[in-house]
């Protein structure tokens, strides 16, 4: 059983947020952060108070001071923001938690938790369906969250943002609404072998219904999708291209702007899976010119249960509903119905109101730090992670090696010779409190292409530090030694594991 420490109860934690931020904030020198911003050690944002973009009011509880009076320590972004993430301050199996599974889901800052709780505590009501104060307040906050997401990815209009329960639903929406209406026998859908299952399965189902076929781009020797092969497969038969922006296994980034330009030249639409890019870098949908783009809240410091679809207005306006019910209608008669304009057309029923509002708070949080600063910091982490892992004998890392022209995402999928990935993840957790993921990472076709059935994956976010990486590397070395000892002398290894 995991032993939890330094983790206040929910009711106790709420008491930390009882007043607006103190004006007596401590300034610190921040690596890669705007020094004009103030940060406070007092976690104080609750109820109606919320940070305003561009304001000098404090919203982060993240100042680090040296013991000597008047001396301020220079810290990384990870060091500075960690106090905002209560879950990171605990022990797991007797060791300090080292969380390296952010590609699966990110942790949530207290500001986001408070925003979610504040909705249910102060103005819980259904949206768009009432004239009373609570309903109006909930509606305003819900639609404000939509506007925040639109601004975050530089959509031209907030009506181009459709809230869904996750990115998977967003892809299914496009597949069933646009795909079933526009694909016919002989049409082609172009993907890569590195796509997430959520990008493959919906289009397999649509292809089976419409008679369209799926084509897949393979990898180069450097283990990145082959752009040359992509261009050779692209043709007038290609009706839509489904691509990831950043691979959740390989850590590679695709040149989306060029892919969109080539695809549009043959009349194809493009859907971008941005689940691993929107949380980590600046994403500008107008610059990318993608027709559709999807992302999930829970990977960008927001709650689970909500994601979004970006779609160009001229496309969404022509697409039929995905689900039927309340909210998505204009008028309902006994023999037919007419439908609302987007985005309401695609948001049938009561949405995840509190979750969407908390996603808006996550966008505020990320925007205050700055996505460019987050991206630059994570490049440092990515390089440190890759080179540290690469230095361990017997470790095989998948995806391209970093270079002056190749920047990996802050994740590494890997295997250790002679040891199963799940065994590695188990011992790292039970003996060292290190959380990584093992398995196929919802990318079975890619793992088969690589000739493996599973891999271990360490994935980072801006709240991680180089110390987290160093702790992971030491724990991994110890884990490898444990299995080597087990292979040589099983009885001795059992004694070590019991200590």
């Amino acid at each position: 059983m995991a032993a939890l420490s330094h983790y206040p109860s929910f009711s106790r934690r709420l008491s930390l947020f009882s007043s607006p931020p103190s004006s007596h904030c401590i300034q610190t020198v921040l690596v890669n952060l705007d020094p004009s911003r103030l940060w406070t050690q007092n976690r104080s944002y609750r109820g109606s108070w919320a940070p305003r973009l561009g304001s000098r009011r404090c919203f982060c509880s993240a100042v680090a001071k040296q013991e000597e009076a008047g001396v301020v320590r220079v810290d990384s972004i990870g060091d500075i923001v960690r106090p905002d993430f209560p879950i990171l301050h605990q022990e797991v199996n007797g060791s300090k938690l080292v969380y390296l599974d952010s590609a699966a889901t990110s942790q949530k800052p207290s500001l986001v938790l408070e925003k979610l709780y504040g909705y249910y505590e102060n103005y819980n009501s259904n949206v768009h369906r009432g004239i009373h104060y609570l309903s109006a307040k909930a509606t305003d906050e819900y639609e404000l969250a939509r506007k925040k997401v639109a601004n975050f990815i530089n959509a031209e209009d907030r009506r181009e943002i459709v809230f869904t329960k996750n990115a998977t639903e967003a892809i299914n929406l496009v597949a069933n609404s646009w795909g079933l209406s526009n694909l016919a026998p002989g049409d082609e859908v172009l993907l890569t072998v590195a796509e997430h299952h959520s990008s493959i399965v919906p289009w397999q189902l649509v292809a089976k219904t419409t008679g369209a076929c799926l084509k897949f781009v393979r990898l180069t020797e450097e283990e990145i999708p082959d752009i040359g092969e992509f261009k050779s497969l692209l043709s007038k038969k290609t009706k839509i291209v489904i691509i990831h922006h950043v691979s959740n296994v390989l850590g590679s980034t695709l040149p989306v702007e060029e892919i969109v330009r080539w695809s549009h030249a043959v009349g194809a639409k493009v859907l971008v899976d941005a689940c691993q890019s929107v949380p980590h870098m600046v994403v500008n949908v107008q610059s990318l010119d993608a027709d559709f783009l999807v992302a999930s809240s829970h990977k960008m410091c927001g709650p689970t249960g909500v994601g979004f679809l970006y779609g160009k207005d001229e496309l969404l306006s022509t697409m039929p509903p995905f689900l039927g019910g309340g909210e998505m209608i204009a008028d309902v008669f006994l023999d037919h119905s007419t439908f609302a304009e987007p985005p309401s057309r695609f948001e049938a029923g009561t949405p995840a109101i509190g979750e969407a509002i908390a996603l808006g708070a996550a966008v505020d949080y990320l925007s205050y730090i700055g996505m460019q600063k987050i991206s630059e910091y994570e490049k440092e982490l990515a390089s440190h992670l890759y080179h540290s892992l690469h230095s361990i004998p017997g470790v095989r890392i998948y995806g391209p090696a970093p270079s002056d022209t190749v920047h990996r995402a802050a994740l590494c999928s890997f295997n250790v010779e002679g040891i199963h990935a799940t065994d590695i993840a188990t011992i790292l957790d039970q003996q060292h409190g290190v959380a990584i993921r093992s398995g196929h990472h919802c990318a079975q076709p890619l793992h088969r292409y690589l000739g493996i059935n599973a891999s271990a994956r360490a994935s980072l976010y801006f709240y991680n530090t180089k110390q987290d990486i160093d702790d992971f590397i030491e724990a991994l070395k110890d884990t490898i030694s444990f299995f080597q000892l087990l292979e040589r002398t099983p009885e001795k290894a059992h004694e070590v594991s019991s200590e």
Side-chain angles (χ1 to χ4, degrees), residues 236-499:
K236 293 293 183 180
K237 292 182 179 180
T238 310
K239 299 306 176 185
I240 190 166
V241 173
I242 316 296
I243 53 166
H244 61 271
H245 196 172
V246 173
S247 170
N248 72 320
V249 176
L250 303 173
S252 55
T253 302
L254 288 177
V256 173
E257 287 191 44
E258 289 85 350
I259 288 173
V260 171
R261 187 170 64 250
W262 301 328
S263 301
H264 285 174
V266 300
K269 307 301 182 190
V270 180
L271 185 154
V272 178
D273 172 3
C275 287
Q276 300 294 340
S277 60
V278 165
H280 301 282
M281 64 178 67
V282 177
V283 173
N284 184 331
V285 293
Q286 293 192 60
S287 295
L288 295 178
D289 198 28
D291 302 286
F292 304 103
L293 180 141
V294 304
S296 282
S297 162
H298 72 95
K299 287 182 167 62
M300 52 188 292
C301 293
T304 57
V306 67
F308 66 87
L309 164 69
Y310 159 80
K312 289 182 177 178
D313 181 64
E314 62 267 25
L315 290 174
L316 293 178
S317 297
T318 64
M319 289 163 52
F322 171 47
L323 298 173
E327 184 61 30
M328 49 74 66
I329 53 87
D331 291 292
V332 176
F333 303 92
L334 293 181
D335 59 348
H336 73 283
S337 298
T338 58
F339 307 116
E341 292 298 313
S344 296
R345 183 185 303 172
F346 304 106
E347 296 181 7
T350 299
I353 303 168
E355 287 76 6
I357 292 170
L359 169 58
V363 166
D364 284 342
Y365 187 87
L366 295 173
S367 298
Y368 256 78
I369 299 171
M371 293 309 299
Q372 186 59 41
K373 296 182 178 69
I374 288 174
S375 176
E376 291 168 358
Y377 175 62
E378 288 189 11
K379 286 178 183 177
E380 297 177 17
L381 294 180
S383 178
H384 188 57
L385 174 64
Y386 182 90
H387 291 296
S388 298
L389 261 179
H390 192 261
S391 68
I392 302 176
V395 169
R396 162 76 155 90
I397 304 172
Y398 302 100
S403 67
D404 292 338
T405 57
V406 176
H407 299 290
R408 286 182 59 101
L411 66 87
C412 282
S413 298
F414 65 96
N415 272 309
V416 178
E417 185 178 0
I419 309 174
H420 194 279
T422 299
D423 292 336
I424 291 172
T426 299
I427 297 302
L428 285 175
D429 172 62
Q430 294 182 355
Q431 297 294 323
H432 303 281
V434 176
I436 67 168
R437 190 150 293 260
S438 63
H440 51 67
H441 318 306
C442 292
Q444 285 183 326
L446 174 58
H447 278 72
R448 291 193 188 97
Y449 185 91
L450 294 169
I452 55 177
N453 61 11
S455 64
R457 184 183 68 190
S459 55
L460 314 177
Y461 207 5
F462 65 92
Y463 44 65
N464 288 118
T465 63
K466 289 185 178 179
Q467 186 61 53
D468 287 337
I469 298 171
D470 294 342
D471 290 344
F472 159 60
I473 294 299
E474 288 306 308
L476 179 60
K477 290 178 179 177
D478 187 73
T479 299
I480 294 171
S481 296
F482 167 78
F483 281 106
Q484 290 173 340
L485 180 62
L486 179 65
E487 185 176 354
R488 293 195 301 268
T489 54
E491 297 82 4
K492 181 64 177 177
H494 177 72
E495 292 174 11
V496 173
S497 67
S498 301
E499 292 179 357

Side-chain angles (χ1 to χ4, degrees), residues 168-203:
T168 298
E169 184 179 68
I171 296 171
N172 275 271
L173 191 164
V174 176
N176 284 273
S177 180
W178 185 92
L180 291 177
S181 301
N182 290 275
L183 295 178
D187 290 340
E188 295 178 355
V189 178
L190 186 54
L191 311 93
T192 80
V193 296
E195 300 308 319
H196 191 281
H197 294 164
S198 296
S199 290
I200 297 174
V201 177
W203 297 98

Side-chain angles (χ1 to χ4, degrees), residues 17 33 37 39 45 50-53 58-62 77-86 88 106-113 148 152 279 300-302 357-371 374 461-463:
F17 300 86
L33 286 178
R37 292 191 177 127
W39 304 70
Y45 29 76
R52 298 179 180 177
L53 291 179
C58 310
F59 80 99
C60 257
S61 56
I77 292 177
D79 291 311
I80 292 164
V81 303
R82 283 180 78 85
D84 290 341
F85 294 84
L88 298 179
S106 68
Q107 299 303 339
K108 325 305 176 192
S110 296
L111 178 142
V112 171
L113 302 178
K148 289 176 181 179
F152 190 66
M300 52 188 292
C301 293
I357 292 170
L359 169 58
V363 166
D364 284 342
Y365 187 87
L366 295 173
S367 298
Y368 256 78
I369 299 171
M371 293 309 299
I374 288 174
Y461 207 5
F462 65 92
Y463 44 65

Side-chain angles (χ1 to χ4, degrees), residues 50-84:
R52 298 179 180 177
L53 291 179
S55 167
R56 289 179 61 85
R57 299 193 78 173
C58 310
F59 80 99
C60 257
S61 56
V63 161
K65 291 180 63 181
Q66 287 182 341
E67 293 297 327
E68 296 80 9
V71 179
V72 180
R73 186 175 74 231
V74 178
D75 279 342
S76 71
I77 292 177
D79 291 311
I80 292 164
V81 303
R82 283 180 78 85
D84 290 341

